[in-house]
Amino acid sequence: MINVSTLPLTVKLMLNYPFLLCLDNGDETEETTVYLQSNEALKVRVQFDPSYKEEDWICRSHTSQLTVTYKEHPHIDYVNLMGEVVFPNLKFEDKDIDFGCILNDTEMSKYVTVTNTSRLTVNYEWYFNIRKQPKFLPVTEAEVDNAIVDNLAVDSNIQAETAK
């Protein structure tokens, strides 16, 4: 930005989040006022925060405007801003794949179309998330009898204590 007039200008810069003005001291703000001498130039750095809406991980563009007003006269300038967030997104033809009942020692295959909906080239690695089943150890008849006796002993102790 250059003050091309022969008079000094007080310039107010305003924009909306997720765009931010980066000041020389490292601060980020949505609004600032600067004073420019005649023919003085100022570099204005605008930053876009791509994490402004990260809960859904969907690709999107965000547009806004940098508004420039002047204390010394009523003219208003606008600078169009556009920020784009691109994630590697896949779209699956089906959300569920139901194999139904499959006989032992047989195989079944189903095909699913997966589409890369982003502009990014992506490489994915697939694996099956297999949950481990709890293992039950064989229990002898004597262990079952001991467990029953232990439970009866605990129950009789509880009853005796509550009777006191």
Side-chain angles (χ1 to χ4, degrees):
M1 157 185 308
I2 300 173
N3 179 4
V4 294
S5 74
T6 57
L7 300 172
L9 286 176
T10 306
V11 181
K12 186 173 187 179
L13 305 168
M14 298 170 289
L15 47 69
N16 293 315
Y17 187 79
F19 296 98
L20 295 167
L21 295 164
C22 299
L23 306 177
D24 290 338
N25 65 3
D27 289 345
E28 297 170 347
T29 183
E30 293 180 23
E31 185 177 306
T32 190
T33 302
V34 294
Y35 185 77
L36 295 175
Q37 293 291 340
S38 177
N39 294 316
E40 184 180 0
L42 173 69
K43 285 189 178 184
V44 177
R45 183 172 162 223
V46 176
Q47 179 175 309
F48 175 68
D49 181 6
S51 67
Y52 75 102
K53 199 172 185 180
E54 66 180 36
E55 68 272 0
D56 58 7
W57 304 101
I58 302 294
C59 301
R60 66 174 43 87
S61 295
H62 188 82
T63 58
S64 189
Q65 288 184 325
L66 170 64
T67 304
V68 183
T69 60
Y70 307 93
K71 181 179 177 184
E72 291 78 15
H73 59 81
H75 182 73
I76 300 175
D77 287 311
Y78 299 95
V79 178
N80 291 324
L81 305 172
M82 201 264 300
E84 188 172 16
V85 180
V86 180
F87 294 104
N89 284 223
L90 297 179
K91 180 180 178 188
F92 290 82
E93 177 183 37
D94 297 313
K95 290 188 180 200
D96 296 314
I97 303 171
D98 185 2
F99 287 94
C101 185
I102 303 171
L103 295 174
N104 286 343
D105 300 321
T106 64
E107 294 181 4
M108 182 181 287
S109 297
K110 293 210 175 191
Y111 294 92
V112 177
T113 302
V114 180
T115 306
N116 178 6
T117 59
S118 71
R119 294 183 319 201
L120 299 175
T121 301
V122 292
N123 295 312
Y124 283 91
E125 188 172 302
W126 303 96
Y127 65 94
F128 288 100
N129 187 8
I130 300 173
R131 295 186 183 129
K132 292 186 178 180
Q133 296 295 325
K135 293 184 179 179
F136 295 100
L137 299 175
V139 179
T140 65
E141 192 173 322
E143 290 172 323
V144 171
D145 290 341
N146 287 339
I148 292 171
V149 169
D150 289 343
N151 284 339
L152 290 175
V154 169
D155 287 343
S156 64
N157 286 338
I158 292 172
Q159 290 173 359
E161 287 179 16
T162 54
K164 288 181 183 179

